Amino acid sequence: MDKENLTLLTDFYELTMMQGYFKNDSNDTVIFDVFYRTNPSGSGYAICAGLDQVIDYIKNIHFSNEDIEYLRSLRMFEEDFLTYLSGFRFTGDIYGVPEGTVIFPMEPLIKVIAPIMEAQLVETAILNIINHQSLIATKASRVCYAAKGDTVMEFGLRRAQGPDAGTYGARAAVIGGCIGTSNVLAAKAFDIPALGTHAHSWIMSFEDELTAFREYADLYPGNATLLVDTYDTLRSGVPNAIKVFSELREAGKMPKKYGIRLDSGDLAYLSKKARKMLDAAGFPEASIVASSDLDEYLIDSLKTQGAAIDSWGVGTNLITSKDCPAFGGVYKLAAIKKDGKYIPKIKLSENPWKITNPGNKTIYRIYEKESGKVKADLIAMADEKYSEENPLKIFDPLATWKKTYLKAGTYTLREILVPVFKAGTCVYTSPSVMEIREYCRKELDTLWDETRRLVNPHDVYVDLSNELYQLKNQLLDNINGNNQI
């Protein structure tokens, strides 16, 4: 994708707050955390995606002359502040969870450490990017899990909420496990496979279905997948596809890949009937591709019914995450630097799980050494150090009586927040999308099956270190003590 100047992709109040900080000569360094509170689509996990676009955004952030003129025309901003904006660049630090990483609620996915005017400006765009791509990557991982090893193709561009959602959504879907996309722009921009066959209109543009199949197979000898449900799937479409395959075989022109696609009707019944017909005609290698408003639940049901489908084209329900159209990531202040020391900040709520975690934090992922599976995540203060050679006690921060004791040598640790920007300079190199996809596959393999199941999954515990827990409770006690009636 061509790099865009997304500097004005921000909520208006970010700019009004920036001017307020500017006028009050208040530009202390702060820490903001990006996190989410609930896994989307009833999942037991989520997939982090979008970091590469965040990097592009931060690298290219600047106010053009046209931007300054537009802001001046609003008659809300004073000239000294506009002069400041004209020379704006990001000078802070950013830490992030690498794309394709399995993530859980409440842990910081992005940590921004910067002067408050800079940190405030970048809030909206970071949330926009991370929320969308993490949502679609998570949905794709669920769809691919339901497919149980069958290939899944992203086919949703025409139903996406606009060109950007379709293109970056395709990127995220491949990260989540799809083998490629029908979106040619996304395929070109992110070097991912472009996939597709033909539409019903191709069949209808010829005098008959058989001629349409013959012409398509002749034109694309490397991959002849024929759409068989334009007229009558079992009486016309599949028999005509078999006739074309037979002609190709007799002529010694058998395609490397060939098969049929079903786009309507009872996919379980039709696929099983079609499979028998193809096998009886001597084409057991012919693939059967299915599309038609699929999602993880329908695919799981079709698999349970023994549908003879090898590959799935998933569109609307994937690219829009139809059952859960928003990820819910938030951006909250965690600390302000005063006199060289970070002062932790906390946001209260009537809902305990909405109370934020204060201070400068990091995340440790704890794995069971024997299986390599995720045991829990531990949110700790950034300067805390842990050793696998020591025993570790973790506990539920809301139900503190729930404790787990890990013996030394029975677990491994990995810190999953990594430096992305230091003093405004990018220090992180993003892998290719296909490399991220492979990394994501390995990440998903670290989850227990109980966490990956589609309905009522087992939750992975996200615990707080004792130091962070004590800090949080101290701040709560201080606030409650100052609010006595």
Side-chain angles (χ1 to χ4, degrees), residues 134-146:
S134 298
L135 177 71
I136 305 305
T138 305
K139 187 68 170 179
S141 74
R142 288 171 57 80
V143 171
C144 293
Y145 180 73

PDB file of all heavy atoms in Angstrom, residues 134-146:
ATOM      1  N   SER A 134      -6.576  -6.870  14.583  1.00  0.00           N
ATOM      2  CA  SER A 134      -6.618  -7.919  15.600  1.00  0.00           C
ATOM      3  C   SER A 134      -7.962  -8.640  15.580  1.00  0.00           C
ATOM      4  O   SER A 134      -8.035  -9.863  15.774  1.00  0.00           O
ATOM      5  CB  SER A 134      -6.355  -7.331  16.990  1.00  0.00           C
ATOM      6  OG  SER A 134      -5.063  -6.761  17.064  1.00  0.00           O
ATOM      7  N   LEU A 135      -9.028  -7.890  15.329  1.00  0.00           N
ATOM      8  CA  LEU A 135     -10.363  -8.486  15.236  1.00  0.00           C
ATOM      9  C   LEU A 135     -10.431  -9.509  14.102  1.00  0.00           C
ATOM     10  O   LEU A 135     -10.871 -10.648  14.284  1.00  0.00           O
ATOM     11  CB  LEU A 135     -11.407  -7.384  15.020  1.00  0.00           C
ATOM     12  CG  LEU A 135     -12.845  -7.849  14.828  1.00  0.00           C
ATOM     13  CD1 LEU A 135     -13.417  -8.375  16.142  1.00  0.00           C
ATOM     14  CD2 LEU A 135     -13.711  -6.710  14.289  1.00  0.00           C
ATOM     15  N   ILE A 136      -9.978  -9.107  12.908  1.00  0.00           N
ATOM     16  CA  ILE A 136     -10.086  -9.989  11.740  1.00  0.00           C
ATOM     17  C   ILE A 136      -9.119 -11.160  11.849  1.00  0.00           C
ATOM     18  O   ILE A 136      -9.456 -12.292  11.479  1.00  0.00           O
ATOM     19  CB  ILE A 136      -9.856  -9.192  10.450  1.00  0.00           C
ATOM     20  CG1 ILE A 136     -10.816  -7.992  10.363  1.00  0.00           C
ATOM     21  CG2 ILE A 136     -10.029 -10.093   9.231  1.00  0.00           C
ATOM     22  CD1 ILE A 136     -12.280  -8.352  10.496  1.00  0.00           C
ATOM     23  N   ALA A 137      -7.920 -10.933  12.361  1.00  0.00           N
ATOM     24  CA  ALA A 137      -6.976 -12.038  12.535  1.00  0.00           C
ATOM     25  C   ALA A 137      -7.531 -13.074  13.504  1.00  0.00           C
ATOM     26  O   ALA A 137      -7.372 -14.290  13.295  1.00  0.00           O
ATOM     27  CB  ALA A 137      -5.633 -11.508  13.036  1.00  0.00           C
ATOM     28  N   THR A 138      -8.181 -12.615  14.566  1.00  0.00           N
ATOM     29  CA  THR A 138      -8.780 -13.538  15.531  1.00  0.00           C
ATOM     30  C   THR A 138      -9.902 -14.343  14.890  1.00  0.00           C
ATOM     31  O   THR A 138      -9.988 -15.567  15.057  1.00  0.00           O
ATOM     32  CB  THR A 138      -9.308 -12.772  16.752  1.00  0.00           C
ATOM     33  OG1 THR A 138      -8.255 -11.986  17.315  1.00  0.00           O
ATOM     34  CG2 THR A 138      -9.853 -13.723  17.806  1.00  0.00           C
ATOM     35  N   LYS A 139     -10.761 -13.663  14.148  1.00  0.00           N
ATOM     36  CA  LYS A 139     -11.864 -14.358  13.470  1.00  0.00           C
ATOM     37  C   LYS A 139     -11.323 -15.395  12.491  1.00  0.00           C
ATOM     38  O   LYS A 139     -11.821 -16.531  12.424  1.00  0.00           O
ATOM     39  CB  LYS A 139     -12.741 -13.340  12.736  1.00  0.00           C
ATOM     40  CG  LYS A 139     -14.009 -13.928  12.131  1.00  0.00           C
ATOM     41  CD  LYS A 139     -14.970 -14.374  13.208  1.00  0.00           C
ATOM     42  CE  LYS A 139     -16.326 -14.743  12.626  1.00  0.00           C
ATOM     43  NZ  LYS A 139     -17.260 -15.202  13.681  1.00  0.00           N
ATOM     44  N   ALA A 140     -10.299 -15.025  11.734  1.00  0.00           N
ATOM     45  CA  ALA A 140      -9.710 -15.956  10.766  1.00  0.00           C
ATOM     46  C   ALA A 140      -9.143 -17.181  11.459  1.00  0.00           C
ATOM     47  O   ALA A 140      -9.280 -18.308  10.967  1.00  0.00           O
ATOM     48  CB  ALA A 140      -8.631 -15.251   9.958  1.00  0.00           C
ATOM     49  N   SER A 141      -8.519 -16.994  12.607  1.00  0.00           N
ATOM     50  CA  SER A 141      -7.932 -18.137  13.319  1.00  0.00           C
ATOM     51  C   SER A 141      -9.014 -19.099  13.776  1.00  0.00           C
ATOM     52  O   SER A 141      -8.811 -20.319  13.781  1.00  0.00           O
ATOM     53  CB  SER A 141      -7.095 -17.656  14.503  1.00  0.00           C
ATOM     54  OG  SER A 141      -7.910 -17.208  15.572  1.00  0.00           O
ATOM     55  N   ARG A 142     -10.167 -18.574  14.134  1.00  0.00           N
ATOM     56  CA  ARG A 142     -11.284 -19.427  14.541  1.00  0.00           C
ATOM     57  C   ARG A 142     -11.855 -20.186  13.346  1.00  0.00           C
ATOM     58  O   ARG A 142     -12.160 -21.385  13.447  1.00  0.00           O
ATOM     59  CB  ARG A 142     -12.376 -18.573  15.200  1.00  0.00           C
ATOM     60  CG  ARG A 142     -12.008 -18.055  16.570  1.00  0.00           C
ATOM     61  CD  ARG A 142     -13.024 -17.034  17.095  1.00  0.00           C
ATOM     62  NE  ARG A 142     -14.378 -17.538  17.154  1.00  0.00           N
ATOM     63  CZ  ARG A 142     -14.861 -18.313  18.125  1.00  0.00           C
ATOM     64  NH1 ARG A 142     -14.067 -18.685  19.125  1.00  0.00           N
ATOM     65  NH2 ARG A 142     -16.126 -18.696  18.107  1.00  0.00           N
ATOM     66  N   VAL A 143     -11.992 -19.499  12.228  1.00  0.00           N
ATOM     67  CA  VAL A 143     -12.494 -20.152  11.016  1.00  0.00           C
ATOM     68  C   VAL A 143     -11.544 -21.272  10.587  1.00  0.00           C
ATOM     69  O   VAL A 143     -11.973 -22.381  10.249  1.00  0.00           O
ATOM     70  CB  VAL A 143     -12.684 -19.119   9.891  1.00  0.00           C
ATOM     71  CG1 VAL A 143     -12.991 -19.803   8.570  1.00  0.00           C
ATOM     72  CG2 VAL A 143     -13.805 -18.126  10.247  1.00  0.00           C
ATOM     73  N   CYS A 144     -10.248 -20.984  10.606  1.00  0.00           N
ATOM     74  CA  CYS A 144      -9.258 -21.990  10.197  1.00  0.00           C
ATOM     75  C   CYS A 144      -9.230 -23.161  11.169  1.00  0.00           C
ATOM     76  O   CYS A 144      -9.039 -24.308  10.759  1.00  0.00           O
ATOM     77  CB  CYS A 144      -7.873 -21.347  10.084  1.00  0.00           C
ATOM     78  SG  CYS A 144      -7.741 -20.153   8.736  1.00  0.00           S
ATOM     79  N   TYR A 145      -9.439 -22.905  12.445  1.00  0.00           N
ATOM     80  CA  TYR A 145      -9.505 -23.990  13.423  1.00  0.00           C
ATOM     81  C   TYR A 145     -10.693 -24.899  13.137  1.00  0.00           C
ATOM     82  O   TYR A 145     -10.582 -26.131  13.190  1.00  0.00           O
ATOM     83  CB  TYR A 145      -9.602 -23.413  14.831  1.00  0.00           C
ATOM     84  CG  TYR A 145      -9.684 -24.445  15.920  1.00  0.00           C
ATOM     85  CD1 TYR A 145      -8.563 -25.189  16.285  1.00  0.00           C
ATOM     86  CD2 TYR A 145     -10.877 -24.684  16.599  1.00  0.00           C
ATOM     87  CE1 TYR A 145      -8.623 -26.145  17.298  1.00  0.00           C
ATOM     88  CE2 TYR A 145     -10.954 -25.637  17.604  1.00  0.00           C
ATOM     89  CZ  TYR A 145      -9.823 -26.362  17.954  1.00  0.00           C
ATOM     90  OH  TYR A 145      -9.899 -27.307  18.946  1.00  0.00           O
ATOM     91  N   ALA A 146     -11.832 -24.288  12.794  1.00  0.00           N
ATOM     92  CA  ALA A 146     -13.021 -25.084  12.476  1.00  0.00           C
ATOM     93  C   ALA A 146     -12.804 -25.946  11.244  1.00  0.00           C
ATOM     94  O   ALA A 146     -13.368 -27.036  11.127  1.00  0.00           O
ATOM     95  CB  ALA A 146     -14.227 -24.166  12.270  1.00  0.00           C
TER      96      ALA A 146
END
